[in-house]
């Protein structure tokens, strides 16, 4: 192949992918955007389980009077419509450690891909937020979330979906998320996802004996904005390590791409069958007439 | 010609209201055991619905944060839509393949399908947390274009319109507008084609809803082929429903049917049974392929694995064998039994995907509350009452004598 035809072929291939790449979708953002998602790094070695983040979260989300119960070791508490973040304690091979649990703010969230009204939104800044005026309460986001995070107010006649918003409102005003601001041990660090991945790796490389060599959230379900580093393997701390690295919305793209194909090809196909059937029934009638 | 039609329409509209009001009155005895039971259940359902909207879903359902979808979605919507699949299959057979034998059951099947969709959509409104926002994905202030649910909602809504148009000639015939009926007949073929396309996609789409639940749904049920399995199974689910409903109608509404209809009934049942058997072979084969493909064989000797095996053996393979045997040996009752077994199998399959094998790795379980079951029954009874109201009044089982002329108009439209 000479150079000219090579260039031609390559540019043709490039052109042909434009319609595919140009049709960008919410939930699948360009790499350049992804770099600048805001994120939070949780360093489990530094957390002392003081629950300051829980109280700060309750206050920031208009629920200051709620009194969270104390955790028990190895008993998993879940987030609820009141508590958008909780601390759990685990007895591990290297002693007792505490894990903060909340929405992971996935890069390509299943809840956003699930939502048929755009009520669940992955903002450009990174937080996944929910819009009350759009939601119809179908709870498909809850069904789809691999971390069991969105919570629904079953006792209300005008229910809300409750989940951590990474304090998106505070971020807009230049403030830190409430939990990060109130963490006394700097176990929580706020920054861009890119910076925090670097920071996490730096900590692991500089203290290789103190950390398990993995960042939870780096690539689980396509990557998340909450990143965890830990002294012990993550399965000891109640993390779901069975989750794949493929982003969940990708499991539906095959079907979704098939829909317009079927919509355009099936009707003419049916017309064809109908024409054939008509021709056949005429023929049999003719044969019957001849007989 | 057009002017005439307009005038006719105007006159029709005027007469229609008068006629409709007179038809609202009940025909036949009011105080029957069935009516009594139906009225009680529907009334109780209305009371429960009232509390559901007053105090929230939690006041009457056992739904939880781990089980956001329960009986109302798993049975009413996801199973119900599969049961209503008969309409697109029968219209395909009659209008596309020209299998004339099934002409006489088109109307009742389409009516059944239409009512099922209307009432299941109604049940869906009960389940939505904020049902007043249900128009959001339709009016377009927020299109969640990448949501499978968005596709399902649209195909659902459009298909209801298509089914209404397919049934509308019977309504036109009911209040005696020949012109309107002729026009509606003219568009039937087009609506049938659109209806089949829409059905294919939303039957598959209901399965596609579970594509993202990879970490929650048991590996024996989770597969990327779930949309195809849902679509294929909706064919024999729908036809089995037609067989069962037909057998019930034959007893209950026998005075409304012409002798001809009675005569062809058995023939139709055997024909449908044969199709069920063929499609179930395909389905069973697909399930086996998927099982090997998914590398989840090692789950087969767990309790859920045994449950999976029983779904496959007793509710797929057994009815399949029964269909095959009874079609060969012309055993009508056995076909009906096979159809009922198939329907139970579909209920089990859909509940497995939505509830039983869902969250299989969590300790939490979901069992429907009595209110959820009661309201489901109320929806079913309400549907039966409306169905009976229509069947008694409109020409559902027997088209009027000018049917020959209509058939010509169908032919010319195609």
């Amino acid at each position: 192949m000479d150079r000219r035809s090579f260039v031609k072929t390559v540019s043709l291939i490039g052109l042909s992918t434009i319609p595919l790449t140009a049709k960008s979708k919410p939930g699948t953002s360009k790499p350049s955007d992804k770099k600048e998602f805001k994120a939070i790094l949780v360093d489990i070695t530094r957390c002392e389980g003081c629950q300051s983040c829980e109280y700060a979260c309750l206050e920031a989300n208009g629920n200051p009077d709620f009194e969270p119960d104390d955790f028990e070791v190895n008993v998993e508490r879940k987030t609820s419509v009141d508590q958008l973040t909780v601390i759990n304690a685990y007895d591990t091979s290297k002693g007792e450690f505490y894990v903060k649990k909340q929405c992971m703010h996935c890069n390509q969230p299943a809840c956003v891909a699930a939502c048929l009204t755009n009520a669940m939104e992955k903002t450009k800044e990174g937080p996944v937020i929910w819009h009350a005026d759009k939601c119809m309460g179908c709870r498909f986001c809850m069904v789809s979330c691999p971390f069991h995070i969105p919570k629904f107010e079953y006792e209300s006649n005008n229910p809300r979906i409750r989940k951590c918003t990474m304090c998106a409102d505070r971020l807009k005003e230049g403030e830190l998320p409430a939990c990060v601001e109130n963490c006394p041990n700097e176990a929580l660090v706020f920054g861009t996802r890119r910076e925090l991945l670097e920071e996490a790796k730096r900590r692991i490389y500089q203290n290789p004996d103190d950390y398990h060599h993995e960042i939870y959230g780096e690539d689980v379900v396509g990557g998340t904005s909450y990143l965890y580093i830990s002294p012990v393997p993550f399965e000891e701390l109640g993390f779901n390590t069975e989750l794949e690295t493929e982003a969940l919305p990708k499991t539906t793209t095959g079907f979704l791409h098939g829909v317009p194909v079927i919509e355009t090809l099936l009707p003419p196909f049916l017309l064809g069958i109908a024409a054939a059937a008509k021709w056949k029934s005429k023929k049999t009638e003719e044969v019957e007439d001849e007989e | 010609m057009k002017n005439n039609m307009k005038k006719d329409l105007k006159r029709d509209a005027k007469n229609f209201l008068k006629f409709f009001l007179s038809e609202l009155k009940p025909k036949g005895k009011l105080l029957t055991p069935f009516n009594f039971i139906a009225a009680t259940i529907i009334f109780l359902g209305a009371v429960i619905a009232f509390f559901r909207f007053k105090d929230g879903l939690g006041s009457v359902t056992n739904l939880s944060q781990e089980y956001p979808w329960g009986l109302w979605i798993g049975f009413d919507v996801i199973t119900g839509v599969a049961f209503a699949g008969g309409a697109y299959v029968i219209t395909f057979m009659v209008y596309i393949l020209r299998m004339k034998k099934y002409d006489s059951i088109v109307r009742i099947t389409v009516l059944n399908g239409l009512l099922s969709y209307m009432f299941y959509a109604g049940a869906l409104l009960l389940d939505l947390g904020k049902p007043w926002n249900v128009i959001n994905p339709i009016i377009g202030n927020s299109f969640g274009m990448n949501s499978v649910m968005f596709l399902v909602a649209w195909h659902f809504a459009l298909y209801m319109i298509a089914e209404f148009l397919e049934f509308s000639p019977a309504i036109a015939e009911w209040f005696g507008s020949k012109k309107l009926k002729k026009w509606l007949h003219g568009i039937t073929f087009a609506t049938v084609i659109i209806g089949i396309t829409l059905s294919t996609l939303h039957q598959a789409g209901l399965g596609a809803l579970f594509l993202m639940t990879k970490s929650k749904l048991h590996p024996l049920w989770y597969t990327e082929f779930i949309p195809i399995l849902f679509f294929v199974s909706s064919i024999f689910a729908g036809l089995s429903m037609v067989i069962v409903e037909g057998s019930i109608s034959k007893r209950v509404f026998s005075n409304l049917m012409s002798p001809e209809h009675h005569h062809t009934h058995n023939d139709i049942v055997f024909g449908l049974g044969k199709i069920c058997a063929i499609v179930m072979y395909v389905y069973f084969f697909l399930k086996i392929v998927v099982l090997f493909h998914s590398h989840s064989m090692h789950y087969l000797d767990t309790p859920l694995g045994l449950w999976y095996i029983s779904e496959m053996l007793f509710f797929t393979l057994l009815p399949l064998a029964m269909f095959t045997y009874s079609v060969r040996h012309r055993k009508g009752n056995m076909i009906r039994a096979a159809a009922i077994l198939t329907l139970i199998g579909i209920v089990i399959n859909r509940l497995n995907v939505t509830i039983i094998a869902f969250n299989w790795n969590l300790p939490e379980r979901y069992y429907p509350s009595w209110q959820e079951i009661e309201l489901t029954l109320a929806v079913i009874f309400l549907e039966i009452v409306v169905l009976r109201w229509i069947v008694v009044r409109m020409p559902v089982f027997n088209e009027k004598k000018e049917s020959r002329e209509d058939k010509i108009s169908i032919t010319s439209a195609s």
Side-chain angles (χ1 to χ4, degrees), chain A residues 24-27 78-81 109-119 130-160 240 242-244 246 248-253 255-256 258-260 262-264 266-271 273-275 277-279 281 285, chain B residues 52-59 61 63-70 73 92 95-98 100 124 127-137 141-153 155 189 192-194 196-198 200-201 204-206 208-216 222 224 227 358-359 361-364 411-412 414:
Chain A
S24 82
K25 298 179 190 160
K78 294 183 172 179
T79 62
S80 68
V81 288
C111 58
V112 173
C115 187
L116 74 164
T117 59
N118 289 342
W130 174 80
H131 300 283
D133 55 328
K134 291 185 172 177
C135 175
M136 58 188 229
C138 73
R139 307 189 295 286
F140 189 29
C141 52
M142 302 169 72
V143 169
S144 304
C145 175
F147 300 106
H148 305 259
I149 288 302
K151 298 282 153 32
F152 180 84
E153 294 179 323
Y154 283 105
E155 306 306 322
S156 164
N157 59 17
N158 186 10
R160 292 177 296 174
N240 186 350
E242 309 265 292
L243 292 175
E244 289 169 28
E246 187 192 33
L248 284 170
K250 289 211 173 114
T251 57
T252 61
T253 44
F255 175 76
L256 290 172
V259 168
I262 291 176
E263 263 166 1
T264 43
L266 189 58
F269 180 64
L270 291 172
L271 282 171
I273 300 177
K278 189 178 171 186
W279 179 77
S281 72
E285 268 167 36
Chain B
R52 175 258 166 276
F53 284 112
K54 187 172 150 281
D55 300 328
L57 276 164
S59 63
T61 69
L63 296 173
S64 64
Q65 304 298 352
E66 299 298 353
Y67 280 97
W69 287 356
I73 298 293
F92 174 72
Y95 292 100
I96 308 292
L97 295 182
R98 293 181 175 251
K100 294 222 171 90
L124 190 63
D127 191 78
L128 289 181
K130 292 150 80 85
W132 51 91
N133 278 345
V134 72
I135 44 163
N136 277 356
N141 65 352
S142 40
F143 274 0
M145 299 285 268
N146 296 298
S147 168
V148 175
M149 184 76 95
F150 178 80
L151 273 156
V152 171
H155 286 85
F189 184 74
V192 162
I193 291 213
I194 294 166
I196 295 166
T197 310
L198 294 169
T200 309
L201 287 169
L206 286 179
L209 289 179
F210 292 90
L211 285 172
M212 285 201 289
T213 64
K214 205 169 188 172
S215 61
K216 295 180 172 178
Y222 182 87
E224 55 267 52
F358 190 77
N359 280 342
N361 39 15
L362 287 187
E364 287 93 344
T411 324
S412 63
S414 60

Side-chain angles (χ1 to χ4, degrees), chain A residues 49-107:
Chain A
C50 70
Q51 289 180 282
S52 297
C53 52
E54 285 191 21
Y55 286 97
C57 178
L58 285 166
E59 188 146 345
N61 288 288
N63 213 354
D65 301 329
F66 187 88
E67 195 54 42
D69 46 345
D70 293 334
F71 51 76
E72 275 174 67
V73 178
N74 289 344
V75 177
E76 197 191 318
R77 293 191 301 156
K78 294 183 172 179
T79 62
S80 68
V81 288
D82 295 310
Q83 281 185 282
L84 310 185
T85 188
V86 289
I87 293 279
N88 285 316
Y90 294 91
D91 193 21
T92 72
S93 50
K94 288 190 178 175
E96 194 173 301
F97 288 103
Y98 311 97
V99 180
K100 182 178 180 292
K101 185 177 182 158
Q102 72 299 304
C103 172
M104 296 291 286
H105 298 280
C106 306
N107 291 349

Side-chain angles (χ1 to χ4, degrees), chain B residues 243 247 265-274 319 321-340:
Chain B
I243 293 173
S247 306
H265 178 76
N266 263 343
D267 228 25
I268 287 175
V269 166
F270 285 115
L272 296 177
K274 192 174 161 190
M322 283 165 73
F323 272 128
T324 315
Y325 179 84
S326 48
V327 167
R328 264 205 198 141
H329 298 88
R330 306 283 293 177
K331 300 237 187 289
N333 283 335
M334 198 173 184
I335 281 205
R336 280 169 203 115
I340 290 168

Side-chain angles (χ1 to χ4, degrees), chain A residues 255, chain B residues 200 203-205 207-208 211 223-232:
Chain A
F255 175 76
Chain B
T200 309
Q203 294 285 0
L211 285 172
T223 153
E224 55 267 52
F225 295 104
I226 200 168
I228 295 169
L229 292 175
F230 266 49
F231 167 67
V232 174

